[in-house]
Amino acid sequence: MADKEATVYILDLGSSMADCHNGRTESDLDWSMRYVWDKISTTVAASRKTWNVGVVGVRTDETDNPLQEQEEGSEGYEHISVLQELGPMSMQNLQDLRDRVKPSHTQAGDCISAIVLAIEMIEKLTKKLKYNRRVILVTDGEAPIDSSDIGDISEKMKRSGIQLTVLGVDFDDAEFGFKEEDKSSIKEQNEKTLRDFAEKCDGLYGTVAEAIAELETPRVKSVRPYKTYDGPLTLGDPNMHADAMSIDVERYFKTHKAAVPPASRVVMKITSSDDPSDVPEAANGDEMQGVESTPSFAAVKNSRKYVVNDSDIPGGKRDVDPSELAKGYEYGRTAVHISESDYNITKIETTKGFSIVGFIYQEKYEPFLNVGETCMTIAQKSNDAAALKLSSLIHSLHELESYAVARIVAKDGKEPTLVLLAPHIEPDFECLYDIPLPFAEDVRSYPFPPLDKVLTIQGNSVTTNHRNLPSQELQEAMDDYVDAMDISSWEKDDDGNRTMEYAPVYDVFSPPLHRINQAIRYRATYPTKPVPLIPAILLKYASPPEDLVAKVKSDLEDLIDKASVKKVPPKAKGKKDKGERPQPISGLDIDALLKQPENKKAALDPDNAIPKFKQRVELADDQADIEDAMSQMGSIIRGMVTKSFGDQDYDRAVEHIGVMKETATEFEYPDLFNSFMKDFKTRILSGEFGGDRRELWWKIKHASLGLIDANASEHSKVTAEEAAEFLKR
């Protein structure tokens, strides 16, 4: 595949392109330019200097092209203008071009002559080099065309390897299913001429409507093969054993994740005077971070400085040179310094290599161990001996139904990776596909209870008649529903029969990736217009097919009935259902009085803490009020224990802790209580409350006032085992 491209767009800008047809509200030019702008903006986004774009306008008011300026052959090139010279396309070029693409006031201009000009532009740039050469003509066919030299021009294009694409505004296309009625005779004749011309050039011919419809379909990007490893694949050590295997191979990416385009920081260009020095530094033509400056935005230049506290200098801050910095690694809440020389000892010294370390039967491998992108390994090019050796290994793995496990180091000093090698055989192609494997510390095992039985405390196994097990009727209803929702053959074929798979892998796209790309291309062309709605094709597989959902409605209703599914009202977070409160005879609004700022900010009374605490939490407006009430209650409990003469106030403290736990559970703030209890226990056991208070901890354990676990509150991060362990220690 050639990496270089040369594409010339020929745009019909005649006065007839300003009209609207077939019920459209935008002009034929604006409508057809949707396709052109999308293609050009895609080229700009790629930012490849080897992708060249040129734009030629035909039926323009003026004439501006090199062929018209020549002494010979100038006849027939009137009203043709080069709007964009063939070369790399930038954002600034796109903005300039957008201002020049407007309908003219003339009907004169020959599309065939414009194609000749495009051929001249392509040959001047590409010469005899390897390029993908394309000419794309967009016209409404309402102007006369000189077809006398079509035969010679088509032969010239075939010899030069130039592909012609003709897109006509409202051109008839039987395959797409469009035919325009009441067509003018000139347009009808031009459609026939251009169709014959495209066929002679082995080019493409179609209607603009089809091209625009295909824009919403995401385009899978084709990339050049990228070599990740080039060297020997070994089994054993060839330096130590003469019978060790060594095959010269090359390894390439097979699949690679497409990344969302990264965003760059930019700054608005604001000039308060005519003085150029008023323009921000980044706006003075300085391209930073790979960002192309535009009339409205400029790239941002980052700067960083390091400071430390120093009370001996004014301001209390001292700048530190980056060369004086050292690396500190977090260990608990402490930074541990490791020098560069010490850190180098921790690094594994590796050398480039690709060696097989073992084999595994295919049936014993678990697919969930795949942890990365797939690569493929082939024999070294033009090395028949290596191809024969690798073919023997591939066929051996295939016949034994086995995989190979290999260790690969792509280059010296790089971390080693374990990969699984799987054989792949086609009639004219053989390779080893590989997928990265996890190391032991990368695997997390989570035990789950079985779905088909319940294990009792006594160790018995219950398989029927249990509330956590489905009944036979429910099992059958679920089986029927799953079978009815089968989409493996739901898509219709050309004959209307449901024989094809719905949502095959190659038709499922990443909505965020393609949506962002579409939005960027649109805003690059139309900076002031709102981004259009999400195309339907990106949302096609976001929900099941409507006809399938309607078909299985009865099965779903039967399943809901058998499973006794009932809607549960949502639970309000942080506020319990207070219900109807009795009104006083006086008619005063007690809640309003209590919510007044002077009443809400009053501290809790240690002698009457429980009622005041409940009242404060009941009337809290937000989480901060509840946190404040819990904090005050905790302070009261700690003060109570500190001032207690022996065990005199232990029962009161336990009562207060019980109210605090009940309130935290009821209002769904378990973390506040758990934090208090962990701190309270530490203080008790360390003797911080004026002596040995371990008897109080025994009373707390006896009252089961430990941590709030996930069984008591779904918002708690403490498991039942952790809560039990907390009380034991």
Side-chain angles (χ1 to χ4, degrees), residues 216 514-515 518-519 522 529-539:
E216 295 183 349
H514 295 287
R515 173 58 176 166
Q518 289 173 347
Y522 188 86
K529 293 185 178 180
V531 177
L533 299 176
I534 301 176
I537 192 170
L538 292 182
L539 301 176

Side-chain angles (χ1 to χ4, degrees), residues 325 360 431:
L325 300 178
I360 184 175
C431 72

Side-chain angles (χ1 to χ4, degrees), residues 293-308:
S293 296
T294 66
S296 302
F297 300 100
V300 176
K301 185 176 182 180
N302 294 329
S303 64
R304 179 181 298 174
K305 69 176 183 178
Y306 300 90
V307 297
V308 295

Side-chain angles (χ1 to χ4, degrees), residues 453-468:
K453 60 183 177 181
V454 174
L455 301 178
T456 64
I457 299 177
Q458 293 78 14
N460 299 326
S461 178
V462 180
T463 58
T464 57
N465 299 327
H466 192 278
R467 62 185 181 86
N468 291 336

Side-chain angles (χ1 to χ4, degrees), residues 226-487:
Y226 176 73
K227 187 185 299 184
T228 62
Y229 176 81
D230 185 0
L233 170 64
T234 62
L235 177 57
D237 189 349
N239 297 325
M240 298 180 61
H241 304 283
D243 56 349
M245 182 190 75
S246 178
I247 308 172
D248 293 326
V249 297
E250 296 176 353
R251 182 171 178 259
Y252 296 88
F253 271 117
K254 177 63 178 178
T255 60
H256 202 54
K257 181 181 178 181
V260 174
S264 300
R265 291 187 177 92
V266 295
V267 63
M268 293 288 295
K269 289 185 178 178
I270 302 175
T271 306
S272 58
S273 65
D274 295 333
D275 187 1
S277 62
D278 256 358
V279 182
E281 180 184 356
N284 289 328
D286 185 14
E287 295 188 9
M288 289 162 290
Q289 299 181 2
V291 179
E292 175 192 343
S293 296
T294 66
S296 302
F297 300 100
V300 176
K301 185 176 182 180
N302 294 329
S303 64
R304 179 181 298 174
K305 69 176 183 178
Y306 300 90
V307 297
V308 295
N309 296 327
D310 191 343
S311 58
D312 297 335
I313 63 174
K317 301 286 185 180
R318 176 169 57 87
D319 291 345
V320 179
D321 189 87
S323 61
E324 300 178 20
L325 300 178
K327 289 185 178 180
Y329 295 87
E330 188 175 353
Y331 184 73
R333 301 186 66 179
T334 307
V336 178
H337 166 62
I338 299 180
S339 64
E340 192 69 25
S341 58
D342 292 337
Y343 178 75
N344 290 334
I345 299 175
T346 67
K347 298 178 66 176
I348 301 176
E349 295 184 3
T350 58
T351 56
K352 179 180 177 181
F354 193 5
S355 58
I356 296 175
V357 297
F359 300 90
I360 184 175
Y361 286 112
Q362 295 180 6
E363 60 185 17
K364 293 185 177 181
Y365 178 74
E366 299 293 348
F368 64 79
L369 293 174
N370 299 346
V371 294
E373 297 169 338
T374 306
C375 293
M376 64 177 184
T377 300
I378 61 174
Q380 191 179 63
K381 295 177 182 177
S382 304
N383 190 334
D384 295 338
L388 182 60
K389 293 178 183 179
L390 184 62
S391 179
S392 300
L393 175 62
I394 292 172
H395 281 269
S396 298
L397 292 174
H398 177 73
E399 293 172 4
L400 296 176
E401 297 182 349
S402 300
Y403 297 136
V405 178
R407 177 183 184 270
I408 183 170
V409 178
K411 60 181 180 180
D412 293 344
K414 194 171 182 181
E415 294 183 356
T417 303
L418 285 181
V419 296
L420 185 81
L421 300 176
H424 178 74
I425 301 174
E426 293 181 7
D428 54 353
F429 179 73
E430 296 176 352
C431 72
L432 288 171
Y433 286 138
D434 69 74
I435 190 79
L437 295 174
F439 291 100
E441 61 270 21
D442 298 325
V443 179
R444 300 289 186 271
S445 297
Y446 298 96
F448 293 96
L451 299 177
D452 58 346
K453 60 183 177 181
V454 174
L455 301 178
T456 64
I457 299 177
Q458 293 78 14
N460 299 326
S461 178
V462 180
T463 58
T464 57
N465 299 327
H466 192 278
R467 62 185 181 86
N468 291 336
L469 294 176
S471 63
Q472 184 63 28
E473 291 182 349
L474 177 57
Q475 188 68 48
E476 292 176 355
M478 178 57 76
D479 291 341
D480 293 340
Y481 179 66
V482 172
D483 292 340
M485 287 291 291
D486 182 18
I487 60 173

Side-chain angles (χ1 to χ4, degrees), residues 175-237:
E175 294 183 1
F176 183 66
F178 178 82
K179 181 175 177 61
E180 185 183 27
E181 302 296 337
D182 301 326
K183 196 188 302 279
S184 66
S185 58
I186 294 179
K187 184 173 183 178
E188 187 174 357
Q189 178 60 37
N190 288 340
E191 285 188 31
K192 181 179 179 182
T193 301
L194 292 174
R195 184 184 292 107
D196 293 341
F197 186 25
E199 291 177 354
K200 290 181 179 179
C201 297
D202 297 330
L204 302 175
Y205 173 91
T207 182
V208 172
E210 181 180 8
I212 293 176
E214 291 180 352
L215 292 180
E216 295 183 349
T217 302
R219 296 183 288 274
V220 179
K221 182 180 178 181
S222 298
V223 297
R224 295 182 62 189
Y226 176 73
K227 187 185 299 184
T228 62
Y229 176 81
D230 185 0
L233 170 64
T234 62
L235 177 57
D237 189 349

